[in-house]
């Protein structure tokens, strides 16, 4: 294998989603968005959990009457899950359809969704003992003021900048592979302190690890200095948007509140519709959201929500118990169901057991 990076057209290009490759370049886009939904260290359980999550979260909400929508699964989308949500064995089966000799370029940026796909891929590579000598790591330069933002994720990088990044790509080393594997294992684990430990210790292959893993904390409830437990940041943002808007659709939440928010780099439009539906269905201690039907084409436009008095209390006063909120998957953790909270201290944060 050459000591110089290959050209884009010479290589098999693996990335999270589609990237700006030239025509006839060999592309293998990975479609899963690991920043949302459950993960598992065991590959078989991981694949099962991922497919089940996307089947649930893309159900279309068809409002029949009152507050109680029925759910109709889009069959075509369910079929696409089989093709798009795959395990590491299938990834390398698809690599093999190109050639067993071509170099492989793995593309990434410091954006959280890109990093998670990247760590998952390299952890899988380590598990299947694939020949690492074929692999190159290409990471386009991102100015400091844009780092860790969705606007600088790999799908937004121009072809010109991809070419520049490939010219300085580095061959994949065993040490780099080991660091990435550690990070994926920590993210997929049910104990969030493992991510915190790696953030504190640091890893040579990822010198900006603290900044890169900042979004990990977003999905956890927060405990303040008075020991009051507050909603997670995305839940607070969603419910406050509903509170301010009166009775609004999920698409209006995105337009009015989320579009320019840093959290939108992690929690996209499909998450918004699904999470609001979870809140609507979470009625064990009384409803938090009441729904009304609207004319629309999908779950972002076909329903509107307003906050109940109970919802206002959760938003303004915090939680009496973690179970006041519907569970949410963050890697291998189910926040609100598992007893973990974020505590902030001197500009940094840690995750503690409640």
């Amino acid at each position: 294998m050459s000591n110089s990076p290959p050209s884009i057209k010479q290589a098999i290009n693996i990335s999270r989603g589609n990237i700006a490759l030239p025509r006839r370049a060999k592309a293998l886009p990975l479609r899963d968005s690991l920043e949302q939904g459950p993960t598992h260290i065991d590959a078989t359980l991981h694949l099962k959990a991922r497919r089940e999550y996307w089947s649930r979260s893309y159900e279309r909400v068809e409002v029949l009457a009152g507050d109680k929508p029925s759910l109709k699964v889009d069959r075509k989308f369910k079929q696409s899950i089989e093709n798009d949500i795959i395990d590491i064995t299938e990834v390398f089966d698809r690599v093999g359809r190109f050639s067993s000799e071509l170099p492989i370029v793995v593309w990434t940026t410091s954006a959280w969704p890109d990093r998670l796909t990247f760590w998952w891929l390299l952890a899988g590579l380590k598990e299947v003992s694939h020949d690492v000598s074929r692999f190159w790591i290409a990471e386009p330069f991102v100015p400091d003021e844009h780092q860790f933002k969705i606007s600088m994720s790999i799908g937004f990088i121009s072809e010109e900048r991809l070419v520049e990044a490939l010219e300085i790509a580095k061959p994949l080393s065993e040490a780099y592979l080991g660091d990435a594997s550690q990070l994926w294992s920590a993210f997929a684990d049910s104990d969030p302190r493992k991510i915190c430990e790696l953030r504190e210790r640091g890893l040579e292959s990822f010198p900006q690890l603290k900044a890169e893993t900042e979004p990990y904390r977003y999905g956890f409830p927060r405990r303040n200095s008075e020991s009051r437990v507050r909603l997670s940041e995305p839940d607070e943002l969603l419910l406050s948007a509903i509170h301010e808007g009166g009775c609004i659709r999920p698409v209006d939440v995105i337009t009015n509140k989320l579009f320019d928010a840093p959290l939108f780099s992690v929690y996209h439009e499909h998450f918004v519709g699904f999470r609001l539906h979870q809140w609507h269905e979470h009625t064990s201690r009384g409803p938090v959201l009441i729904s009304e039907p609207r004319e629309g084409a999908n779950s972002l436009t076909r329903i509107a929500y307003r906050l109940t008095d109970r919802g206002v209390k959760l938003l303004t006063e915090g939680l009496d118990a973690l179970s006041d909120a519907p569970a949410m998957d963050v890697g291998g953790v189910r926040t609100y169901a598992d007893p973990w909270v974020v505590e902030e201290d001197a500009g940094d944060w840690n995750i503690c057991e409640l």
Side-chain angles (χ1 to χ4, degrees):
M1 190 63 64
S2 171
N3 291 325
S4 300
S7 70
I8 285 180
K9 287 190 175 182
Q10 289 174 333
I12 301 166
N13 297 274
I14 304 180
S15 60
R16 176 185 172 272
N18 295 324
I19 59 176
L21 297 174
R23 289 183 62 190
R24 296 178 182 167
K26 291 167 279 293
L28 179 50
L30 302 176
R31 304 292 186 189
D32 202 355
S33 296
L34 295 166
E35 71 279 7
Q36 300 176 40
T39 64
H40 202 284
I41 294 174
D42 179 87
T44 301
L45 295 176
H46 175 79
L47 180 63
K48 182 175 183 289
R50 299 303 300 167
R51 287 179 170 174
E52 287 177 351
Y53 171 77
W54 287 116
S55 293
R56 293 195 314 272
S57 65
Y58 273 87
E59 287 174 333
R60 292 184 175 182
V61 179
E62 295 203 0
V63 180
L64 299 180
D67 305 333
K68 195 68 177 176
S70 66
L71 295 176
K72 181 180 179 181
V73 176
D74 184 333
R75 291 182 181 178
K76 186 176 180 181
F77 184 80
K78 264 204 150 183
Q79 291 171 356
S80 74
I81 289 175
E82 300 293 321
N83 295 322
D84 291 345
I85 310 302
I86 58 177
D87 61 16
I88 201 69
T89 301
E90 177 63 19
V91 171
F92 289 111
D93 283 348
R94 295 182 186 186
V95 167
R97 294 172 197 169
F98 292 106
S99 167
S100 60
E101 301 297 328
L102 290 174
I104 300 167
V105 176
V106 182
W107 296 89
T108 188
T109 71
S110 54
W112 183 237
D114 291 344
R115 276 296 192 244
L116 291 177
T117 297
F118 182 63
W119 294 339
W120 171 80
L121 178 68
L122 295 189
L125 174 61
K126 184 176 174 63
E127 286 299 311
V128 299
S129 302
H130 205 283
D131 179 16
V132 300
S133 67
R134 296 174 63 194
F135 284 78
W136 295 82
I137 304 303
E139 183 169 349
F141 171 75
V142 177
D144 288 344
E145 63 271 21
H146 294 299
Q147 288 200 29
F148 322 115
K149 296 181 180 178
I150 192 63
S151 59
M152 286 294 114
S153 67
I154 197 66
F156 289 83
I157 304 295
S158 68
E159 181 182 334
E160 180 182 7
R161 292 182 58 209
L162 292 180
V163 171
E164 291 173 354
L166 191 49
E167 290 173 352
I168 56 171
K170 297 178 180 178
L172 176 61
S173 68
E174 291 290 349
Y176 195 105
L177 191 69
D179 285 351
S181 183
Q182 282 190 73
L183 285 162
W184 172 253
S185 294
F187 176 74
D189 200 280
S190 59
D191 187 344
R193 292 172 296 190
K194 292 187 177 180
I195 281 282
C196 298
E197 289 166 5
L198 290 177
R199 280 169 50 85
E200 266 317 300
R201 174 157 55 91
L203 291 171
E204 185 176 353
S205 304
F206 298 93
Q208 298 191 73
L209 186 60
K210 276 205 168 185
E212 291 179 13
T213 54
E214 184 71 13
Y216 182 69
R217 68 181 174 88
Y218 291 164
F220 287 82
R222 298 164 290 166
R223 182 163 60 187
N224 60 23
S225 56
E226 289 80 37
S227 296
R228 189 71 178 174
V229 177
R230 297 166 54 204
L231 295 168
S232 70
E233 291 185 56
D235 280 336
E236 187 171 283
L237 198 62
L238 290 177
L239 296 189
S240 65
I242 299 291
H243 186 40
E244 293 166 12
C247 186
I248 61 174
R249 303 167 301 167
V251 69
D252 302 318
V253 172
I254 296 168
T255 303
N256 299 346
K257 194 82 174 179
L258 277 187
F259 192 75
D260 292 323
L263 287 177
F264 199 60
S265 66
V266 177
Y267 301 107
H268 307 160
E269 61 271 19
H270 300 297
F271 168 84
V272 173
F274 184 51
R275 187 60 180 165
L276 287 174
H277 175 71
Q278 288 181 312
W279 272 106
H280 179 265
E281 295 296 293
H282 191 70
T283 59
S284 59
R285 300 190 185 188
V288 173
L289 293 178
I290 300 291
S291 67
E292 296 179 6
R294 292 287 188 270
E295 292 292 328
N298 55 44
S299 60
L300 296 178
T301 58
R302 198 177 289 169
I303 191 168
Y305 296 107
R306 64 178 174 83
L307 208 60
T308 65
D309 290 343
R310 172 166 172 72
V312 174
K313 183 175 183 292
L314 290 177
L315 183 62
T316 56
E317 298 181 16
L319 306 171
D320 293 322
L322 290 179
S323 59
D324 286 343
M328 176 176 161
D329 296 295
V330 179
V333 182
R334 283 185 61 74
T335 64
Y336 297 112
D338 299 336
W340 305 107
V341 293
V342 166
E343 291 187 338
E344 297 180 353
D345 180 35
D348 201 1
W349 55 269
N350 199 13
I351 295 176
C352 308
E353 192 166 9
L354 189 63

